[in-house]
């Protein structure tokens, strides 16, 4: 399911896009109200889900503009997973569309500290020839396609 994740100042809040059209703005009628930001119009921007599952954003005549990745939105502009939707100067949302990522191979890994990898090794026994990423891929595969139940000992 697609969502817009508010990333403004120290705030971070996820809003699922459950409606065919989602309105953003200062008005109480908006699906995603943007409170306390003066350069946002009452009904600033709309995000619409197309029949093919893609999403588009449209500026609704706002005074301070709507931007995707710092490019002004004119007409309907398509949103892609990871795009930054900005209303005015400060209200910033990251667009996330899990459906757009389906089918992509997920890369697993640990950056920096190997404590997680070490803990996994202790919990699941020795890793043997497998690295942490391979073990995680096996865990995800098993969760998605569980085999027959193991007999109890």
């Amino acid at each position: 399911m697609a969502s817009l994740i508010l990333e403004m100042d120290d705030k971070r809040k996820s809003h699922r896009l459950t409606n065919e059209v989602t309105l953003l703005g200062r008005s109480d009628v908006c699906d995603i109200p943007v409170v306390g930001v003066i350069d946002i119009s009452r009904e600033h921007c709309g995000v619409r889900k197309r029949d093919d599952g893609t999403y588009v954003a449209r500026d609704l005549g706002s005074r301070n503009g709507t931007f995707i990745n710092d490019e002004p939105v004119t007409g309907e502009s398509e949103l892609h997973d990871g795009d930054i939707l900005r209303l005015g100067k400060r209200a910033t949302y990251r667009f996330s569309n899990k459906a757009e990522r389906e089918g992509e191979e997920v890369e697993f890994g640990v950056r920096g500290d190997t404590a997680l990898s070490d803990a996994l090794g202790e919990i699941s026994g020795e890793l043997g020839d497998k690295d942490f990423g391979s073990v995680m891929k096996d865990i995800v595969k098993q969760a998605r396609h569980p085999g027959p139940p193991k007999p109890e000992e």
Side-chain angles (χ1 to χ4, degrees), residues 2-153:
S3 59
L4 287 174
I5 302 149
L6 174 67
E7 295 179 343
M8 188 174 77
D9 301 329
D10 59 349
K11 299 174 188 173
R12 184 174 165 89
K13 183 175 181 182
S14 181
H15 301 274
R16 289 190 175 163
L17 301 178
T18 56
N19 300 334
E20 185 178 329
V21 176
T22 302
L23 292 176
L24 292 89
R26 286 190 344 242
S27 173
D28 292 339
V29 302
C30 290
D31 303 296
I32 301 177
V34 184
V35 182
V37 183
I38 31 178
D39 68 337
I40 303 299
S41 298
R42 284 193 253 353
E43 293 178 5
H44 194 102
C45 170
V47 175
R48 180 174 68 87
K49 182 178 182 178
R50 291 180 177 158
D51 291 338
D52 65 359
T54 60
Y55 287 80
V56 291
R58 176 184 287 274
D59 185 81
L60 301 175
S62 70
R63 184 175 292 186
N64 293 303
T66 300
F67 304 85
I68 297 176
N69 300 327
D70 290 328
E71 294 293 322
V73 171
T74 56
E76 285 190 337
S77 297
E78 193 163 336
L79 287 162
H80 299 282
D81 185 55
D83 280 350
I84 302 299
L85 177 68
R86 181 169 49 86
L87 283 57
K89 295 177 183 169
R90 290 189 28 218
T92 304
Y93 296 85
R94 184 172 44 84
F95 177 71
S96 175
N97 189 358
K98 182 178 178 182
E100 196 172 285
R101 293 190 307 261
E102 284 180 7
E104 293 180 11
E105 186 171 334
V106 178
E107 291 295 322
F108 293 99
V110 177
R111 296 187 184 122
D113 191 0
T114 59
L116 182 56
S117 180
D118 293 343
L120 181 64
E122 288 177 27
I123 292 169
S124 64
E126 299 219 12
L127 292 175
D129 293 337
K130 292 185 173 186
D131 63 10
F132 178 74
S134 296
V135 171
M136 289 305 296
K137 286 178 184 179
D138 289 346
I139 290 170
V140 169
K141 185 188 290 184
Q142 180 64 28
R144 287 185 180 154
H145 308 287
K150 294 180 181 178
E152 292 185 27
E153 296 179 8

